[in-house]
Amino acid sequence: MEEFPRVVGYRTFLYLLERFKMPAGKRRIGMVDLRGSLVNELVELVDLAGEIMIITSRPYLYENLREWAMCERGATVTVSGDIHRV
């Protein structure tokens, strides 16, 4: 149940991001997902931003997303395990 507010916040963020006039390829987004709980949700974000930086304590969870984003969408997903960057 503790993830529900995060998911609602993320969905609201996606909704607002879709409304911006800036082209998706020019958007740079930073996310903090310490537990990697949003890894499956972030697929939608790849279509809305050209560059995504994710800070997490579980960077290995994002390897497939990184590869898919670059190969399929031409988006750059950078993952950092340095949680002190927050």
Side-chain angles (χ1 to χ4, degrees), residues 2-13:
E2 68 185 51
E3 291 302 314
F4 182 72
R6 286 185 58 148
V7 172
V8 169
Y10 177 68
R11 289 276 171 218
T12 302
F13 173 69

Side-chain angles (χ1 to χ4, degrees), residues 27 29 54-56 59 85:
R27 293 185 187 134
I29 305 294
I54 302 164
I55 298 173
T56 182
R85 293 180 78 175

Side-chain angles (χ1 to χ4, degrees), residues 8-18 29-31 45 48:
V8 169
Y10 177 68
R11 289 276 171 218
T12 302
F13 173 69
L14 288 178
Y15 173 78
L16 294 172
L17 196 57
E18 288 173 342
I29 305 294
M31 298 279 299
L45 184 60
L48 298 174

Side-chain angles (χ1 to χ4, degrees), residues 3-74:
E3 291 302 314
F4 182 72
R6 286 185 58 148
V7 172
V8 169
Y10 177 68
R11 289 276 171 218
T12 302
F13 173 69
L14 288 178
Y15 173 78
L16 294 172
L17 196 57
E18 288 173 342
R19 296 244 183 259
F20 287 135
K21 302 287 187 222
M22 180 185 295
K26 293 186 177 187
R27 293 185 187 134
R28 298 173 68 189
I29 305 294
M31 298 279 299
V32 176
D33 184 18
L34 295 180
R35 289 185 265 159
S37 60
L38 290 175
V39 68
N40 294 322
E41 303 290 329
L42 294 183
V43 170
E44 294 172 83
L45 184 60
V46 171
D47 289 331
L48 298 174
E51 285 184 53
I52 302 168
M53 163 61 102
I54 302 164
I55 298 173
T56 182
S57 61
R58 299 176 179 171
Y60 58 90
L61 293 176
Y62 286 94
E63 286 303 314
N64 289 336
L65 178 68
R66 286 181 59 234
E67 292 175 22
W68 174 82
M70 181 54 74
C71 293
E72 299 295 324
R73 298 295 197 263

